[in-house]
Amino acid sequence: MWAELELDGVRRPSTRGTTVVVKEQHGRWIRGPGQNQIELAPALVADPVALIAIYAHEVGHELLLGSDRISLTRRPDHEPLTDLITVFYGLGIFTANAAYERRPRPNGRGKQPMARGYLREAALAEALAYYALLRGERRPDWDRHLDPPVRRGMRNQLAILHR
């Protein structure tokens, strides 16, 4: 059932450096008559951070699409924008920490990072820095909950913004 929830019906692996990018959808926002719905893959229960990140993303669809703030036909960037809204509604830590997962390599030797979501760690780090700046935070105490690469990127970007 969840294979049909792909945005365009297919998984598209591609390589970018050492990270394999696989667009797979674990959640879906559905416009309904009178009431919209959010569906999540049951497998997300095993990964609470991803569960919250994907749920936040789908709620972002409700905020943007459900309230007609944006249109799918006029905003080809609606998926990255939906990831971005999670940051500015205070759930960016989850989105950033769920941006990558480590999966077993096809050859069985070790694990490789698999990107998920629509914004990469660098973009999320920059967005989190702007979020902190808007809140008047020079060194937010919540950044200790970020995965190290995102935390470093956010701190660097925040330092630049404060100069």
Side-chain angles (χ1 to χ4, degrees), residues 29-32 34-38 55-69 82 85:
W29 175 82
I30 306 159
R31 186 182 298 274
Q35 185 174 346
N36 301 326
Q37 296 179 5
I38 292 173
Y55 184 72
H57 177 90
E58 300 309 326
V59 169
H61 281 307
E62 179 62 22
L63 292 170
L64 295 171
L65 297 170
S67 65
D68 294 322
R69 288 184 177 141
T82 304
I85 200 171

Side-chain angles (χ1 to χ4, degrees), residues 31 64-65 67-79 81:
R31 186 182 298 274
L64 295 171
L65 297 170
S67 65
D68 294 322
R69 288 184 177 141
I70 65 167
S71 163
L72 284 175
T73 56
R74 288 189 219 122
R75 289 301 299 249
D77 65 342
H78 74 277
E79 291 292 357
L81 183 62

